[in-house]
Amino acid sequence: MTVVVLRGTIGAGKSGTPEQDFNDLRNHIYASRKHAEPHRVLTESNQSNNNKNDEGSNANDANNYAAFDINKILVDEGEDEKPDPNKPYILGPKISGWDEQRAKWLSENPNFSNFIGANKPRVLLVTGSSPKPCENPVGDHYLLKSIKNKIDYCRLHGIEIFYNMALLDAEMAGFWAKLPLIRKLLISHPEIEFLWWMDSDAMFTDMAFEVPWERYKDSNFVMHGWNEMVYDQKNWIGLNTGSFLLRNCQWSLDLLDAWSPMGPKGKIRDEAGKVLTRELKNRPVFEADDQSAMVYLLATQRDKWGDKVYLENAYYLHGYWGILVDRYEEMIENYHPGLGDHRWPLVTHFVGCKPCGKFGDYSVERCLKQMDRAFNFGDNQILQIYGFAHKSLASRRVKRVRNETGNPLEAKDELGLLHPAFKAVKVSAS
């Protein structure tokens, strides 16, 4: 029946044979497509020109992304479930015996080892941003730079990465949004040994530095900080929770349960903020934040938590941008990647810049210029693998820094990051 229809449409061919019919059919379809494509392009072009002539090329054009009100499609359905105000806040059901449950799971799933080398734990780096677009036009661009930077570091060091854009608990918005997420990831991924939290406004600036994992074999929680400032002075900036390592164990789940009660927004968070301001050194008056709460928890319950907390300051797990970014040229001249400390910081953290918000604590121009410099500083260590570098730390453009060769496998990247030793793992023959 199909052949009859086709012959009735395009003819029986010159000889009427099946082979000739097939050739004629193929040529006919090809010719139809050949004529149809220019026709479609011309039609769309004419429609576009007509639209421009009818509506004008102004900001009200329906095709203009800059003029579109994103709130038309950002519709939140329903209201968040309200917790019972008479019950204390909890992250979730109390979990006991997690170490035993996890050990059993690991023994039953040997292909998902929690260590990928002799002293190399399986690590999951976690970061994220709001489910909505940034409140300023350039914020999302800098979020993109930030996640690109983190992906580069994780790819080099054999670290898995999780990017979150969902607020798992509306009560824990703002500073506290990380806690419900971290808890959920720990219990959902028993194969990871350490979870590495990093704020979206922090960037890796030493791509060659490998975390000294062996140093933390007896520790469950690693933050940048100083024992004296936390335990003796109770200084609210004695540590930083923008970048930290948390072991997957029962101790960590218990810590999250103890850390979270100050987090629910509203009256609880406001009242907790007053307590933190009263009890901690130099803390301004504002609602409770996760960093101050951790200082308070450690300073008042050191006997319970202190033995498993490692306050690291030998390298920059968190490095305050204000004292680092202006020194990048000096670092390039005098030092090299792989140091991780003040000579070449592992992380540069843009505390107070708030690139995704409407207002920050510093001028927008200063923050964005310095974030570009930090990104390019780290990106140069990636580009050098392929023989390129940014023309300057302020430039998006790149230049060649290595001549091409007819024997590309003989070319070595300067920092040895293309196939770094710390990324190599033994693969089972099975």
Side-chain angles (χ1 to χ4, degrees):
M1 180 62 71
T2 303
V3 174
V4 171
V5 172
L6 290 175
R7 285 187 173 182
T9 303
I10 64 172
K14 293 180 181 180
S15 61
T17 65
E19 182 179 1
Q20 185 61 47
D21 285 350
F22 173 76
N23 291 333
D24 287 348
L25 174 61
R26 180 179 58 187
N27 293 336
H28 177 76
I29 293 175
Y30 174 75
S32 299
R33 288 179 176 173
K34 192 173 182 180
H35 290 298
E37 185 65 19
H39 176 72
R40 181 183 67 80
V41 173
L42 288 172
T43 300
E44 291 180 355
S45 178
N46 289 334
Q47 288 176 345
S48 177
N49 289 333
N50 290 336
N51 289 338
K52 289 181 180 179
N53 292 333
D54 293 341
E55 302 174 11
S57 55
N58 52 44
N60 294 323
D61 190 342
N63 298 337
N64 188 337
Y65 282 95
F68 180 73
D69 182 5
I70 191 64
N71 290 314
K72 289 182 179 180
I73 61 173
L74 292 178
V75 179
D76 293 326
E77 298 178 357
E79 295 184 357
D80 295 318
E81 182 180 350
K82 298 295 182 182
D84 186 343
N86 298 317
K87 294 183 179 180
Y89 176 83
I90 57 173
L91 288 173
K94 175 65 178 176
I95 296 175
S96 301
W98 175 243
D99 291 342
E100 292 75 16
Q101 295 181 56
R102 180 168 173 259
K104 183 174 183 292
W105 188 94
L106 289 171
S107 67
E108 294 174 349
N109 295 272
N111 291 331
F112 295 92
S113 174
N114 55 324
F115 277 80
I116 60 175
N119 297 308
K120 176 83 171 181
R122 186 184 298 276
V123 181
L124 178 67
L125 186 136
V126 182
T127 187
S129 59
S130 169
K132 294 184 178 181
C134 290
E135 295 178 307
N136 68 74
V138 300
D140 289 299
H141 175 64
Y142 283 87
L143 284 179
L144 178 62
K145 284 190 169 185
S146 180
I147 186 60
K148 190 269 184 191
N149 166 272
K150 294 177 176 68
I151 289 171
D152 281 336
Y153 182 87
C154 290
R155 178 172 52 82
L156 292 175
H157 291 263
I159 294 174
E160 299 175 41
I161 190 166
F162 184 97
Y163 194 93
N164 181 62
M165 294 186 69
L167 183 59
L168 301 188
D169 188 337
E171 292 300 301
M172 299 290 275
F175 309 109
W176 298 88
K178 61 170 76 83
L179 267 62
L181 173 65
I182 289 171
R183 184 182 192 267
K184 181 60 68 175
L185 290 173
L186 289 177
I187 61 179
S188 299
H189 291 282
E191 75 277 10
I192 66 169
E193 184 66 19
F194 271 104
L195 183 148
W196 187 342
W197 170 265
M198 185 177 288
D199 285 354
S200 61
D201 59 356
M203 295 187 192
F204 286 105
T205 39
D206 190 338
M207 294 294 177
F209 185 84
E210 171 77 351
V211 171
W213 299 107
E214 176 66 15
R215 186 183 301 177
Y216 310 131
K217 64 181 185 300
D218 298 321
S219 302
N220 294 334
F221 196 17
V222 183
M223 294 172 286
H224 189 85
W226 295 264
N227 288 329
E228 180 182 354
M229 290 182 69
V230 171
Y231 298 116
D232 300 335
Q233 301 174 14
K234 295 184 181 179
N235 193 313
W236 81 289
I237 58 171
L239 55 79
N240 185 272
T241 54
S243 173
F244 61 78
L245 308 170
L246 186 64
R247 190 183 296 277
N248 193 352
C249 62
Q250 181 67 54
W251 183 97
S252 297
L253 297 181
D254 293 341
L255 178 74
L256 291 173
D257 288 339
W259 192 2
S260 61
M262 290 186 177
K265 64 182 181 181
K267 184 178 179 179
I268 294 178
R269 194 183 296 184
D270 292 337
E271 292 301 316
K274 296 176 183 177
V275 173
L276 295 174
T277 296
R278 183 180 68 244
E279 297 294 330
L280 301 182
K281 181 180 179 181
N282 296 331
R283 187 184 189 272
V285 179
F286 66 104
E287 64 181 8
D289 65 297
D290 63 303
Q291 178 172 303
S292 299
M294 179 51 61
V295 173
Y296 180 77
L297 187 66
L298 293 181
T300 57
Q301 301 181 32
R302 183 175 186 176
D303 292 343
K304 185 174 183 179
W305 308 108
D307 288 346
K308 293 296 183 179
V309 174
Y310 197 111
L311 296 181
E312 179 66 81
N313 49 65
Y315 66 91
Y316 281 17
L317 188 59
H318 144 84
Y320 173 57
W321 66 279
I323 62 172
L324 295 173
V325 184
D326 289 329
R327 296 180 45 240
Y328 283 158
E329 283 81 4
E330 174 193 341
M331 297 175 191
I332 293 171
E333 182 177 353
N334 297 318
Y335 303 108
H336 57 81
L339 299 171
D341 55 19
H342 64 282
R343 297 168 294 177
W344 202 289
L346 171 62
V347 173
T348 299
H349 190 184
F350 286 85
V351 179
C353 276
K354 302 175 183 176
C356 198
K358 288 183 178 179
F359 299 97
D361 301 330
Y362 304 93
S363 76
V364 173
E365 181 179 6
R366 181 187 176 198
C367 282
L368 297 187
K369 279 186 175 180
Q370 300 293 54
M371 290 184 78
D372 279 334
R373 282 170 53 81
F375 174 82
N376 291 341
F377 183 75
D379 199 41
N380 275 345
Q381 296 161 56
I382 301 299
L383 290 175
Q384 63 82 30
I385 298 174
Y386 311 105
F388 292 87
H390 287 273
K391 289 189 173 181
S392 73
L393 293 183
S395 177
R396 300 186 302 270
R397 298 182 180 277
V398 299
K399 61 182 179 181
R400 290 185 183 275
V401 294
R402 187 173 68 227
N403 293 330
E404 294 295 323
T405 172
N407 299 304
L409 294 181
E410 295 180 0
K412 302 296 182 183
D413 63 290
E414 181 181 344
L415 304 176
L417 292 178
L418 183 57
H419 298 103
F422 46 69
K423 187 179 178 183
V425 297
K426 293 183 178 179
V427 180
S428 172
S430 60

